[in-house]
Amino acid sequence: NESVQENARGVNELHRSVNGQTLTQALRGGEDAIVKSLQRGYNKTREDELTVAFISYELTTPISENEAEYLCDVIASFSDVTTVPLMPELARTVDSENGVSDPAFRSYLESVKTFLDVADRAAPKMPVMGVVPILGHEYTTELMDVYGREQVRAFCLNFDRTRITANAKVDIVRPMMNSTARRGIEESVLFYGINLDPGDRDDSLGGRPAADFAGLGMGLDIIGGSHVSPRMPPSAYEDAEAKSGEDTITFKLFDKDEWIYRDIPLDELSEVFPEDSLLDAEHVVERCRRSPKNALNRLQKVVNAEQKALAAGELHPEIEDGNLVEYLAEKKGVTPSTTASFQRVRGDFDSGLEQSGLDDF
């Protein structure tokens, strides 16, 4: 319901988690909380924007055909693309010791195939967005083979609140970019990242480098939201709750010039509020003061989403001129290790361009 800069709009992200109870109730024709939740968000979208709906399947069992048919129907009703459901709980049970033969991974793969088959029948004219969990190089390769056979050219990387610039995550992005270059589809493919870790505070930089937003330098086209809570023991939440009444309320603000998240005391926010924001600084401060939990959390996302969208727009001329890495290297929040991650991914993309594919041969 907030007003933001028009050139910061363009993509709407809807998200809904489903568990066994809500899914069973919906399949039996009972009150459909899943549809109602997505409908509320969809009512605020515009026809000239891209709307992407994600459903997170919070079960460790494979998706059945009946479930796939229901989920496909719901997603097609509220989304411009048919997104393969997120299956974070099933992905987390994959044992890396077993490699791609792990039973949980085979279940994940079968669930994807089931959903793709249903989508092909139920919504054949809608483009499909495949989901890639952050498991490992060999898992990504096998999953991309499945998507390749189905001509899927849009992908959501679910980082499950991990950092894209970490070596293990870079090694997952690299083969995707290499495959894209080898297939020659770089101009007709979309990479959408969600649930990225925002990074840790670095006192030498006066904030935390925006590790999530850095994904734009590694081939991601869209940086979506984070729908996963930090995984901490209950005692850590209790400690944070106890301290919340003692500490100064701070607002985590994205600095689009330096790509850093800065912790700004709420009393000082009006003085440093972005001048190009269409949001009212005093209004934001007052609402955060009245509700230092819910409103603060929501408005941080809204304010930062606007600033990130504006920052993403500033990258377009740099991409066209081939100066992206050099441009980003000047950002204080883009550390040398992050720049090295950019270059590793770009190296795999370039090596893919130099190789002939089977079709060329």
Side-chain angles (χ1 to χ4, degrees):
N1 294 324
E2 308 291 345
S3 296
V4 298
Q5 288 281 9
E6 282 299 308
N7 56 344
R9 295 187 61 103
V11 179
N12 306 297
E13 181 173 304
L14 310 179
H15 182 272
R16 170 71 199 202
S17 295
V18 302
N19 56 32
Q21 182 178 354
T22 55
L23 196 52
T24 299
Q25 188 174 23
L27 288 171
R28 289 176 176 172
E31 182 180 3
D32 201 331
I34 302 169
V35 169
K36 287 184 178 180
S37 175
L38 292 172
Q39 182 73 62
R40 283 194 296 271
Y42 186 77
N43 290 342
K44 301 173 186 177
T45 66
R46 299 178 186 177
E47 290 186 2
D48 61 342
E49 297 173 334
L50 173 68
T51 299
V52 183
F54 293 108
I55 290 185
S56 185
Y57 181 82
E58 304 287 337
L59 300 170
T60 58
T61 54
I63 295 177
S64 69
E65 187 161 341
N66 284 343
E67 291 171 335
E69 288 173 352
Y70 168 77
L71 293 175
C72 184
D73 182 55
V74 171
I75 292 169
S77 300
F78 299 111
S79 182
D80 292 316
V81 294
T82 304
T83 52
V84 172
L86 309 175
M87 294 175 276
E89 297 299 330
L90 183 54
R92 289 170 193 158
T93 63
V94 173
D95 187 345
S96 59
E97 295 289 330
N98 300 326
V100 295
S101 63
D102 182 81
F105 179 67
R106 304 320 297 180
S107 294
Y108 191 102
L109 214 57
E110 287 306 312
S111 295
V112 169
K113 292 176 181 177
T114 297
F115 188 85
L116 291 177
D117 287 342
V118 168
D120 188 50
R121 298 194 308 268
K125 295 183 179 180
M126 285 187 68
V128 173
M129 179 180 287
V131 170
V132 179
I134 305 303
L135 292 175
H137 178 281
E138 67 271 32
Y139 304 102
T140 302
T141 300
E142 182 151 351
L143 194 51
M144 289 295 285
D145 286 344
V146 171
Y147 290 137
R149 288 194 291 272
E150 298 296 328
Q151 298 299 309
V152 174
R153 293 192 175 186
F155 303 96
C156 166
L157 286 83
N158 179 15
F159 284 88
D160 201 19
R161 209 176 179 92
T162 59
R163 194 168 312 169
I164 187 173
T165 53
N167 288 337
K169 305 307 175 289
V170 173
D171 286 339
I172 292 171
V173 178
R174 288 169 62 195
M176 296 184 69
M177 298 307 166
N178 186 279
S179 172
T180 298
R182 284 190 287 107
R183 293 172 62 192
I185 59 172
E186 61 271 14
E187 296 302 327
S188 58
V189 69
L190 177 73
F191 289 103
Y192 194 131
I194 63 171
N195 294 324
L196 284 86
D197 180 74
D200 297 325
R201 180 175 177 80
D202 185 337
D203 291 332
S204 67
L205 298 177
R208 65 182 71 190
D212 50 358
F213 200 61
L216 291 180
M218 293 174 61
L220 297 187
D221 299 294
I222 299 173
I223 305 293
S226 182
H227 310 283
V228 180
S229 299
R231 281 191 282 280
M232 301 187 295
S235 58
Y237 282 102
E238 293 169 3
D239 291 343
E241 182 77 13
K243 293 179 180 178
S244 62
E246 306 170 5
D247 297 343
T248 300
I249 300 174
T250 59
F251 191 100
K252 186 175 73 176
L253 180 65
F254 177 74
D255 181 338
K256 72 180 180 64
D257 295 322
E258 297 292 355
W259 284 31
I260 287 177
Y261 290 111
R262 302 188 187 280
D263 293 325
I264 309 296
L266 196 59
D267 292 339
E268 301 174 13
L269 182 61
S270 297
E271 302 170 16
V272 298
F273 203 77
E275 294 181 358
D276 54 3
S277 175
L278 204 61
L279 293 150
D280 182 271
E282 294 298 337
H283 180 63
V284 170
V285 170
E286 182 56 32
R287 292 188 66 181
C288 291
R289 185 175 287 119
R290 289 203 308 263
S291 177
K293 292 181 183 177
N294 296 333
L296 175 64
N297 183 56
R298 190 180 70 81
L299 287 169
Q300 282 180 151
K301 290 184 177 181
V302 173
V303 172
N304 289 334
E306 181 191 43
Q307 291 302 298
K308 289 177 182 178
L310 295 175
E314 294 174 356
L315 298 182
H316 295 170
E318 305 300 332
I319 293 172
E320 292 172 2
D321 294 340
N323 299 326
L324 181 63
V325 173
E326 292 81 0
Y327 172 79
L328 295 182
E330 296 178 357
K331 303 288 186 184
K332 185 182 291 187
V334 178
T335 62
S337 63
T338 298
T339 302
S341 298
F342 293 166
Q343 293 168 337
R344 289 174 62 197
V345 171
R346 181 57 195 243
D348 274 79
F349 179 80
D350 288 340
S351 67
L353 290 175
E354 295 167 3
Q355 298 176 24
S356 295
L358 184 59
D359 292 339
D360 294 332
F361 180 76

